[in-house]
Amino acid sequence: MARRNIRFAVPDLQKAIEGVGKKLGQQFYKDVVQATPIAPINGGNARRRWSKPANKPNWTMKNTAPYIGMLDQGWSKQAQAGYIQATMKKTIKDTKI
């Protein structure tokens, strides 16, 4: 009898895990877009270049600005070095699951 219950519990657990991943992915996308600095010269090009590719998991996202790595390394006075990972950690900590 215990075996039978385990079979039913695994799909439920998988759905719950997928739901958590989806919620975290959606919140991280919002948070990282907001955390990306807006340069006075180009008016927020790096912020606008965040996207979530179609047909990919919700936590898959990219930024096509050629200098996004430099921004994340601290080249902007508007954001600390490592702001993307720091934003991810904050999202995980703050998201109510």
Side-chain angles (χ1 to χ4, degrees), residues 28-40 42-51 61-73 76-80 82-88:
F28 175 66
Y29 180 78
K30 291 176 190 174
D31 292 347
V32 78
V33 168
Q34 287 300 313
T36 300
I38 296 177
N42 61 24
N45 183 54
R47 188 176 281 188
R48 285 190 306 273
R49 298 201 93 193
W50 282 105
S51 65
M61 57 198 73
K62 67 178 181 177
N63 188 305
T64 58
Y67 49 87
I68 193 68
M70 291 169 45
L71 288 176
D72 193 46
Q73 292 173 3
S76 171
K77 294 178 183 175
Q78 297 178 39
Q80 66 182 8
Y83 82 92
I84 294 173
Q85 185 172 358
T87 301
M88 183 182 300

Side-chain angles (χ1 to χ4, degrees), residues 13-61:
L13 178 60
Q14 186 174 358
K15 285 180 187 176
I17 291 169
E18 289 170 2
V20 169
K22 182 176 181 178
K23 186 173 184 178
L24 283 172
Q26 290 170 340
Q27 189 59 51
F28 175 66
Y29 180 78
K30 291 176 190 174
D31 292 347
V32 78
V33 168
Q34 287 300 313
T36 300
I38 296 177
I41 294 172
N42 61 24
N45 183 54
R47 188 176 281 188
R48 285 190 306 273
R49 298 201 93 193
W50 282 105
S51 65
K52 294 186 281 186
N55 302 322
K56 296 283 184 181
N58 221 357
W59 54 86
T60 302
M61 57 198 73

